[in-house]
Amino acid sequence: MSTLKRVHTTLALGTLCSISPTLLAQGFIEDSKATLTSRNYYFDRDYKGDSAQSATREWAQGFILRFTSGYTPGTVGFGLDAQGLLGLKLDSSPDRTGTGLLSYNPVTRQPNDSYSELGLTGKVKVSKTELQGGTLAPNLPILFASPARLLPQTFRGAQLKSQDIDNLTLNAGWLDRMNQRDSTNYQKITLASPNRRFNGAAESDSFSFAGGDYKWSDALTLKYYHAELADIYRQDFVGFIDNRPLGPGRVKTDVRYHISGEDGPAKAGKVDNRTFGVMSTYSLGAHSLGLGYMQLSGDTAMPYIAGSEPMVVSEGALSSEFLNPKERTWQVRYDYDFAALAVPGLKGMLRYLDASHIELPSALGGSDRSESEKDIELSYVVQSGTFKNVAFRLRHAWYRNDFAPSASFRDDNELRVNIDYTLALW
């Protein structure tokens, strides 16, 4: 394990030291690219009923500078990626912090005027196998680093990805620290624990994972992953995506099944969960209509890493994640592409989620609780002219439940507005 722990701290700098100036001038520089993303973000979650905090409401400006190198020539190629993040406060106050947009003092809740960080990722490639070490943002069924605020969540560690076998993508890795979306400090890895599900103070120095995606056919992709957060929980994921023609349109079926249990001393408490979800979407021209169902069984909620996005079929819901013990959730979603009405770049989405059979501690409402959410989203990307590729997105959610007032999730109306523009520097 000691050798593994040194990988993420030495690979990035070691990559630079191993590359000669001549090789830098070849594939490393020639195939590199750099972008600067400007993101203006307004977040407003207005709580209903009695609450110690009536709202979380902030407005911020973010900048994300990304450099991606090519690889040096030869059997073994070396490269280096870099990411610079900067968040600036436009409007906030101690009574409205907690949106995830801005860092703040945990004692006074005073928001910081700015926060920033730099991440480096060294990489080595042989054929179609790549090893990365340093700053990582996994996008896997057992861990998805959240990009859903002003700046993205990141992790520290090493990840191996191989596509040397036709139709098979293998992933394996090890992480020891996480950096939340509104933070500049790496910290030990913890569990999300809304509604007192787990001990959110329990920490781990090791999240390991392995698995892969196999393209069985042009229509069907199979997935399996195993992950362990040392001394806290272990998790297996089995799923598939099937996307094929049906009549004049196409039907996409997405099945996800997470099986979770305790690992070692179970520092965060008991973990016993199976989460099954299926989402089927039929697309015809500009229209897409989806119907989904998710059910949790076992004695606890589904565990996932704090700040990350749980990769279940309720993914993308704004105010809740619908992962309470015993919960059963139905959802319907409709998407429309306004290009069919001669407005290219404009898209809309409507979604409704309804959940029941929730089991909570008696202090939070007890058995047979329910929750629901209605979402609406409009997005537009400017197609031409001076502001070409400027992207606007407006999202509104109405969330309601019958939990006790002291529960983590409370009735709210939520509004998110963000304007993004990515400039290619070279």
Side-chain angles (χ1 to χ4, degrees):
M1 182 62 74
S2 60
T3 300
L4 184 58
K5 286 187 176 182
R6 289 195 294 268
V7 170
H8 62 77
T9 58
T10 60
L11 184 54
L13 294 179
T15 297
L16 277 180
C17 297
S18 65
I19 303 174
S20 71
T22 301
L23 293 180
L24 279 173
Q26 297 179 30
F28 184 92
I29 297 297
E30 290 176 354
D31 297 331
S32 70
K33 60 182 179 180
T35 61
L36 176 63
T37 297
S38 168
R39 172 172 294 169
N40 190 277
Y41 207 129
Y42 176 74
F43 186 110
D44 184 344
R45 182 175 287 168
D46 181 20
Y47 296 110
K48 302 302 176 184
D50 295 332
S51 174
Q53 184 173 355
S54 62
T56 53
R57 183 180 300 120
E58 294 181 308
W59 183 28
Q61 174 66 47
F63 295 96
I64 304 171
L65 176 65
R66 289 191 173 100
F67 168 78
T68 304
S69 80
Y71 288 92
T72 59
T75 302
V76 181
F78 296 88
L80 180 71
D81 298 343
Q83 177 177 261
L85 307 176
L86 173 64
L88 303 173
K89 181 184 73 175
L90 298 179
D91 179 66
S92 182
S93 66
D95 62 330
R96 295 186 278 112
T97 55
T99 64
L101 297 186
L102 295 168
S103 61
Y104 60 92
N105 184 303
V107 177
T108 65
R109 299 190 68 84
Q110 181 66 39
N112 297 320
D113 292 333
S114 65
Y115 65 112
S116 61
E117 64 178 279
L118 173 66
L120 297 176
T121 307
K123 53 188 183 181
V124 180
K125 189 173 185 180
V126 178
S127 186
K128 295 181 181 179
T129 296
E130 180 184 62
L131 173 66
Q132 295 187 338
T135 298
L136 301 172
N139 182 359
L140 300 169
I142 39 75
L143 176 60
F144 179 28
S146 175
R149 292 295 190 272
L150 187 72
L151 303 177
Q153 180 189 39
T154 58
F155 290 84
R156 189 180 74 181
Q159 181 172 351
L160 182 73
K161 180 178 180 180
S162 177
Q163 296 177 304
D164 280 299
I165 301 174
D166 290 345
N167 301 317
L168 178 64
T169 299
L170 296 173
N171 288 281
W174 176 83
L175 311 171
D176 75 335
R177 292 292 186 273
M178 63 182 186
N179 193 338
Q180 301 293 37
R181 301 169 297 190
D182 57 355
S183 171
T184 61
N185 300 317
Y186 277 102
Q187 56 191 279
K188 293 186 177 184
I189 303 173
T190 60
L191 278 188
S193 56
N195 293 337
R196 306 178 193 174
R197 296 172 185 169
F198 305 105
N199 175 11
E203 299 177 329
S204 176
D205 289 305
S206 175
F207 180 82
S208 56
F209 60 89
D213 301 5
Y214 180 66
K215 188 176 181 181
W216 182 272
S217 65
D218 289 341
L220 178 62
T221 299
L222 308 176
K223 301 171 181 278
Y224 170 75
Y225 285 85
H226 176 78
E228 293 183 5
L229 184 58
D231 299 329
I232 295 181
Y233 80 92
R234 54 179 171 74
Q235 188 172 82
D236 290 280
F237 170 86
V238 181
F240 69 84
I241 295 177
D242 186 84
N243 193 340
R244 63 183 65 239
L246 180 64
R250 299 188 67 87
V251 61
K252 177 182 178 182
T253 302
D254 187 348
V255 174
R256 309 181 190 186
Y257 186 42
H258 291 82
I259 307 166
S260 307
E262 300 153 17
D263 183 70
K267 293 179 179 178
K270 184 177 182 177
V271 179
D272 174 39
N273 176 262
R274 274 79 63 199
T275 298
F276 172 81
V278 57
M279 185 79 180
S280 290
T281 303
Y282 187 70
S283 299
L284 177 62
H287 307 271
S288 293
L289 180 64
L291 181 65
Y293 176 73
M294 185 168 70
Q295 179 171 328
L296 280 72
S297 57
D299 294 332
T300 71
M302 177 181 141
Y304 65 94
I305 290 177
S308 69
E309 304 286 340
M311 294 300 286
V312 291
V313 296
S314 60
E315 171 196 356
L318 297 184
S319 291
S320 182
E321 16 84 300
F322 296 87
L323 290 177
N324 296 290
K326 310 292 186 182
E327 189 159 11
R328 301 177 186 178
T329 305
W330 288 96
Q331 69 167 304
V332 60
R333 172 172 173 159
Y334 173 71
D335 292 80
Y336 184 75
D337 188 341
F338 287 86
L341 297 179
V343 190
L346 179 63
K347 297 181 180 181
M349 184 274 289
L350 298 171
R351 174 171 47 200
Y352 176 67
L353 302 99
D354 185 79
S356 61
H357 294 80
I358 298 169
E359 297 285 336
L360 296 177
S362 57
L364 301 182
S367 302
D368 202 23
R369 300 295 91 193
S370 63
E371 62 180 339
S372 66
E373 180 173 320
K374 297 184 284 288
D375 299 329
I376 182 171
E377 178 177 313
L378 284 173
S379 63
Y380 178 65
V381 179
V382 179
Q383 301 294 295
S384 61
T386 303
F387 299 103
K388 183 179 179 179
N389 294 327
V390 174
F392 301 84
R393 184 161 65 165
L394 181 150
R395 288 167 288 177
H396 204 301
W398 296 263
Y399 171 77
R400 299 293 184 268
N401 66 45
D402 60 1
F403 305 166
S406 57
S408 301
F409 296 114
R410 290 165 284 167
D411 292 356
D412 67 64
N413 295 344
E414 182 178 308
L415 174 67
R416 304 187 193 188
V417 182
N418 59 282
I419 304 171
D420 290 11
Y421 176 67
T422 298
L423 173 67
L425 302 180
W426 69 79

